[in-house]
Amino acid sequence: MDVNSHAEELASDLGVDKEEVKADLQNLLEYSVPIDEAKQSVRRKHGGGGGGSSPTPDAVDVGEITTENDGVTVTVRVLTQGTRTIRYQGDDLTIREGEVADETGVISYTAWQDFGFEPGDSLTIGNAGVREWEGAPELNLNDSTTVAIADEPVEVDREVGGDRSLVDIAAGDRGRNVEVRVLEVDEKTISGRDGETEILEGVVGDETAKLPFTDWQPRSEIAVGADLRIEDVYVREFRGVPSINLTEFSTVTPLPDPVEVAEDAPRLSVADAVGSGGMFDVEVVGNVLEVRDGSGLIERCPECGRVVQNGQCRSHGDVDGEDDLRVKAILDDGTDTVTVVLDDELTAEVYGGGLDDALAAAKDAMDKQVVADDIADALVGRAYRVRGNLSVDDYGATLDATEFALAADDPAEHARAALAEVGE
């Protein structure tokens, strides 16, 4: 972002010193204020009013918008709208957010005031700011933006409204509606921005998938076994997978009929699973190529549970670690590889004994490595079916296993079938 050019434009419009304007802009940008909001704030500070002297931008197609645009005018159809409260410059603000589209593409938006539109409306939005959000351009509708009903309805080949199956939910979604069965619920107390806050966390499911959720305004309707329609949720990434978030504006309505929930996780090739960017409850089949360092007998920090290296926790420094069992194995199905992590219970199953047995074996051998070596002898070269939660980041793909069992089928055949399907 070229702050100099923005500062020069503002200084010229307002008739004030460029360096003073630049300093004001940089101060606001350091607090993640969108550039258009920052420019409006600087205008108001120097008596320039809300709109300045900039002309209304020319109309553009959604598909042409980039983060290089300062402001745009678009004629679009509203696809979705969600509402939530955010903390902005120390104040709680209610924003509207979602997606709009024309025949050339879809773009997300954030409206910093209620313009009164709803999903399905066709609008001409004038002088909307543009910022980068989640790596893509987003429209910012602020106090210098105009919103009017379009002269003609905007026809788009897109679904209007927020209803989605769980398999189609993605991080960054806003204004989504789901119909689900509650599978798990935990009450938690966390330290929030206003002190200790009570929340609900758990898992919901439908016939397509399962996903974690957080209810920031705990509702009595959310209980294990409840079948619910939940409207106006937003989705963020949590531990590499989409997580549904309920706010004070979300509505929860009991359903008269039960929601069917998929018992089996979708089985994918490792390449397809990794290519998804992260999945909650997925199954892959492959051969264990290697048991990595950090397997077998390990020590964890008693405060945070992180693995301790040489008596040191990354968060808590020098600690007396607590013994635990873990496996980190490389699984390959011929399309790609993934690191599979087994917790203490699954590790005990593949090792053939629990923590006490592992400690006794290490004591007899006077070497903890004997436990990891025994696990490697049991696993390497054999085919396994693994079910769990997949996260993908800059360090690679990790599958936290909930099930780990010898495969009854041939992973190489699955890989050949997946590759043949890609080639069709």
Side-chain angles (χ1 to χ4, degrees):
M1 181 184 298
D2 187 0
V3 177
N4 276 316
S5 63
H6 289 298
E8 187 171 347
E9 175 195 348
L10 280 171
S12 176
D13 287 347
L14 298 168
V16 295
D17 180 67
K18 173 187 171 182
E19 293 305 315
E20 182 180 356
V21 170
K22 181 179 177 181
D24 290 338
L25 277 178
Q26 287 176 327
N27 182 56
L28 291 167
L29 293 173
E30 284 178 2
Y31 288 93
S32 300
V33 177
I35 183 62
D36 289 287
E37 293 295 312
K39 289 167 70 174
Q40 295 300 324
S41 179
V42 173
R43 286 186 185 279
R44 287 191 291 270
K45 174 182 176 181
H46 293 281
S53 59
S54 299
T56 300
D58 292 335
V60 298
D61 291 331
V62 166
E64 298 174 357
I65 298 172
T66 73
T67 53
E68 298 300 314
N69 294 106
D70 281 337
V72 295
T73 293
V74 292
T75 298
V76 292
R77 190 169 190 188
V78 182
L79 301 182
T80 59
Q81 178 173 275
T83 306
R84 64 186 173 112
T85 299
I86 63 169
R87 182 65 58 87
Y88 181 77
Q89 291 185 276
D91 296 324
D92 288 330
L93 298 180
T94 298
I95 62 172
R96 280 80 183 171
E97 53 188 358
E99 294 177 326
V100 295
D102 63 13
E103 62 180 5
T104 69
V106 178
I107 190 169
S108 62
Y109 70 86
T110 295
W112 297 84
Q113 62 190 64
D114 186 2
F115 288 93
F117 57 75
E118 297 179 352
D121 288 346
S122 294
L123 306 173
T124 295
I125 301 174
N127 202 28
V130 181
R131 69 169 179 176
E132 182 177 322
W133 187 81
E134 298 285 339
E138 179 189 73
L139 298 179
N140 262 257
L141 283 57
N142 49 51
D143 58 2
S144 63
T145 302
T146 61
V147 175
I149 298 297
D151 292 335
E152 300 287 341
V154 178
E155 300 296 334
V156 295
D157 186 21
R158 307 280 180 173
E159 184 175 356
V160 175
D163 288 8
R164 295 291 187 275
S165 297
L166 292 185
V167 73
D168 297 320
I169 293 290
D173 285 350
R174 287 86 63 87
R176 294 292 187 236
N177 312 317
V178 295
E179 294 189 354
V180 295
R181 172 170 291 180
V182 182
L183 305 177
E184 301 175 20
V185 179
D186 287 318
E187 297 180 3
K188 289 190 175 182
T189 302
I190 64 170
S191 297
R193 63 192 183 192
D194 297 316
E196 289 193 342
T197 302
E198 302 294 327
I199 65 170
L200 297 179
E201 289 185 340
V203 177
V204 293
D206 65 12
E207 63 181 356
T208 67
K210 299 174 184 174
L211 286 180
F213 76 88
T214 299
D215 183 4
W216 298 93
Q217 302 281 329
R219 295 161 169 86
S220 60
E221 299 94 333
I222 298 180
V224 172
D227 297 297
L228 305 170
R229 177 175 174 82
I230 306 175
E231 298 185 347
D232 196 358
V233 302
Y234 72 96
V235 185
R236 67 180 183 183
E237 183 179 294
F238 179 68
R239 295 179 179 172
V241 301
S243 177
I244 293 172
N245 285 256
L246 287 73
T247 74
E248 61 189 292
F249 299 100
S250 303
T251 60
V252 177
T253 306
L255 292 170
D257 299 315
V259 174
E260 295 295 327
V261 176
E263 294 296 330
D264 298 324
R267 178 181 289 191
L268 301 179
S269 70
V270 174
D272 285 345
V274 173
S276 73
M279 294 186 69
F280 187 84
D281 196 27
V282 64
E283 183 176 279
V284 297
V285 176
N287 292 93
V288 174
L289 299 185
E290 175 190 358
V291 171
R292 295 181 55 188
D293 291 343
S295 297
L297 266 175
I298 62 170
E299 291 185 346
R300 294 191 183 276
C301 173
E303 297 292 329
C304 64
R306 286 189 174 94
V307 175
V308 172
Q309 300 284 353
N310 300 319
Q312 293 290 314
C313 171
R314 286 181 298 171
S315 297
H316 298 94
D318 190 13
V319 297
D320 291 326
E322 297 179 341
D323 293 313
D324 197 9
L325 289 173
R326 180 181 72 172
V327 172
K328 296 175 69 177
I330 304 299
L331 192 82
D332 187 328
D333 74 342
T335 68
D336 205 344
T337 62
V338 62
T339 299
V340 174
V341 179
L342 309 186
D343 64 10
D344 57 340
E345 293 184 4
L346 290 175
T347 299
E349 290 180 16
V350 300
Y351 177 59
L355 180 59
D356 290 341
D357 299 303
L359 289 169
K363 182 178 180 180
D364 290 343
M366 293 185 292
D367 185 2
K368 286 186 175 183
Q369 184 61 32
V370 68
V371 178
D373 291 343
D374 288 345
I375 291 172
D377 289 342
L379 299 186
V380 173
R382 306 181 79 179
Y384 287 88
R385 176 184 62 82
V386 189
R387 181 174 180 175
N389 303 325
L390 176 74
S391 60
V392 181
D393 57 26
D394 293 339
Y395 299 99
T398 302
L399 182 60
D400 290 314
T402 56
E403 296 178 12
F404 185 81
L406 283 167
D409 43 9
D410 182 4
E413 182 60 33
H414 279 286
R416 285 190 290 271
L419 290 171
E421 185 176 329
V422 170
E424 290 179 354

